[in-house]
Amino acid sequence: MSKRIKDTDYLHLSTRIRAMENSLLERERMDRMLEAGTVEEAAKVLTECGYPELQAVNVDTVDAMLAQAREELFGTLNDLAPNGEILDVFKVKYDYHNAKAMLKCEALGLDPERLLVDTGRVAPETLAEAVKRSEFTDLPKVMADAIVEARAVLGETRDPQRSDMILDQAYFQEMEQLAKDSGSQFLLGYVQMLVDAANLRSVVRVLRMGRDSDFLTTVLFPGGTIPAATVVKAADGEPLESIYFSSLFEEAAAAGVQAIQGGSLTAFEKACDNAVNAYMQKAKYIPFGEQPMLGYVSAKDNEFTAIRIILTGRLADLPADVIRERLRNAYV
């Protein structure tokens, strides 16, 4: 940052955020969406949260509504925040989503346009042009280098998982640096929680496949609150519960043990997300500073996910209880 941002610089915005939180999709509204007679009636509940009324409810209209809501969220907060660049930590995942989509579609000879999201730091058109021309000077260097390497690996191995891993490594590296540059310890803690969640997911998947610690080492990320060197011990027999004891991931680790033994991956994934959400919910008890804004952005991100789960579930005629099991803990 060019200048030190103080907590009091966020005083006005923090007040605005507290008012905006009243329109979040809380559990009671989710339940009404689940119990509504039709998917159209379920979608109408969202008008209470400031969303437009959908003339038709289908996957495309839901995705378009959520994409517009993301754009408006970042646009509004970028204008109001003393340091709009702090929001880049939340935008960077869309850059890497777009990069993955472009490289895979390029390898398959497909058009990636329908898969691209327009709320990253880099416009999809800029990224597409860079990939097409193999000229990456307009992209962040870490991202540019990762795209070059991932593309080469995908071309040589035809293994999208390996190319995705290269991009994921760069994604977490960039997020960590952006958080450090912001000067916000709260934001850095959020990034560390995301790394912890990613590593716990990797442990469970690797152990479900029966792979060893050497393989697990290759798919873990640095930068979490629990070092990768500690996490890898799970493949050598150390119980997950002891590795994650007294952390916010204690419950998720227990669900992970059940998943390794053939239990529900859905319940495990939900527990991982709930642990990250529990960290971000601390922002509700901080009166002013960057934390209320960051907590609100995270809450909106979870809200977008919940809306998509509910409405696509209703479109697929899934029972309300099945959809409810997939919903993460609400921020409010």
Side-chain angles (χ1 to χ4, degrees):
M1 294 186 298
S2 58
K3 69 183 185 74
R4 176 70 177 171
I5 304 295
K6 303 186 296 295
D7 290 349
T8 50
D9 293 329
Y10 281 92
L11 188 56
H12 174 69
L13 177 56
S14 296
T15 302
R16 286 281 301 272
I17 291 294
R18 296 309 181 202
M20 293 161 69
E21 287 175 352
N22 292 327
S23 295
L24 285 170
L25 182 68
E26 31 72 53
R27 182 61 65 176
E28 184 271 336
R29 285 172 174 146
M30 291 184 196
D31 287 337
R32 284 165 53 201
M33 292 177 71
L34 290 170
E35 302 300 335
T38 65
V39 68
E40 288 79 15
E41 291 174 5
K44 284 183 180 179
V45 175
L46 296 175
T47 60
E48 300 173 15
C49 303
Y51 292 90
E53 184 170 346
L54 295 178
Q55 298 304 310
V57 183
N58 54 57
V59 172
D60 288 338
T61 58
V62 171
D63 283 347
M65 177 186 70
L66 296 178
Q68 181 63 32
R70 284 192 194 94
E71 268 192 73
E72 292 175 356
L73 172 67
F74 286 126
T76 298
L77 295 181
N78 190 69
D79 290 341
L80 295 174
N83 172 27
E85 291 180 357
I86 199 170
L87 296 170
D88 284 352
V89 165
F90 296 94
K91 296 178 181 180
V92 69
K93 69 177 177 181
Y94 301 113
D95 293 331
Y96 282 90
H97 163 85
N98 289 344
K100 289 178 182 179
M102 287 181 188
L103 292 186
K104 290 172 186 173
C105 287
E106 179 185 62
L108 296 171
L110 302 175
D111 184 351
E113 185 174 357
R114 288 190 71 255
L115 303 174
L116 304 182
V117 181
D118 197 20
T119 43
R121 300 165 302 165
V122 181
E125 299 81 9
T126 301
L127 183 56
E129 191 67 15
V131 171
K132 178 181 178 181
R133 296 180 178 275
S134 295
E135 295 178 359
F136 303 104
T137 54
D138 291 335
L139 306 183
K141 188 176 188 310
V142 172
M143 183 181 183
D145 291 345
I147 290 174
V148 172
E149 183 181 357
R151 177 194 247 171
V153 166
L154 185 58
E156 292 168 5
T157 67
R158 312 301 293 178
D159 185 349
Q161 289 186 331
R162 288 184 62 181
S163 65
D164 280 356
M165 187 64 186
I166 292 167
L167 291 168
D168 286 340
Q169 291 279 3
Y171 162 63
F172 283 116
Q173 181 183 343
E174 278 215 77
M175 274 208 304
E176 181 181 37
Q177 191 59 54
L178 287 167
K180 288 179 178 178
D181 290 345
S182 76
S184 170
Q185 288 301 309
F186 184 79
L187 186 59
L188 181 59
Y190 168 65
V191 173
Q192 291 171 333
M193 289 290 292
L194 292 178
V195 174
D196 286 337
N199 284 344
L200 180 52
R201 287 183 170 104
S202 292
V203 171
V204 170
R205 292 191 185 105
V206 167
L207 295 184
R208 274 173 66 101
M209 292 188 296
R211 302 297 294 268
D212 59 18
S213 58
D214 289 339
F215 179 78
L216 178 57
T217 300
T218 68
V219 296
L220 295 178
F221 304 103
T225 62
I226 301 173
T230 300
V231 175
V232 79
K233 293 178 182 178
D236 293 324
E238 184 159 345
L240 274 182
E241 295 99 324
S242 65
I243 292 174
Y244 291 91
F245 179 71
S246 293
S247 77
L248 288 174
F249 288 95
E250 186 173 3
E251 183 177 331
V257 171
Q258 295 299 315
I260 292 167
Q261 297 170 351
S264 171
L265 273 175
T266 299
F268 165 64
E269 293 281 354
K270 177 179 176 178
C272 287
D273 289 340
N274 283 341
V276 177
N277 294 345
Y279 173 83
M280 293 304 282
Q281 285 174 348
K282 296 177 183 178
K284 292 194 297 183
Y285 308 105
I286 300 173
F288 55 87
E290 78 277 7
Q291 296 91 339
M293 180 185 73
L294 298 174
Y296 180 74
V297 175
S298 177
K300 289 295 289 184
D301 198 37
N302 293 329
E303 177 176 292
F304 299 150
T305 299
I307 290 170
R308 199 174 195 286
I309 289 173
I310 293 172
L311 293 183
T312 56
R314 293 297 308 266
L315 286 167
D317 291 326
L318 294 179
D321 287 344
V322 172
I323 301 173
R324 189 176 283 109
E325 287 176 359
R326 300 178 181 180
L327 295 174
R328 278 52 174 161
N329 291 341
Y331 185 75
V332 292

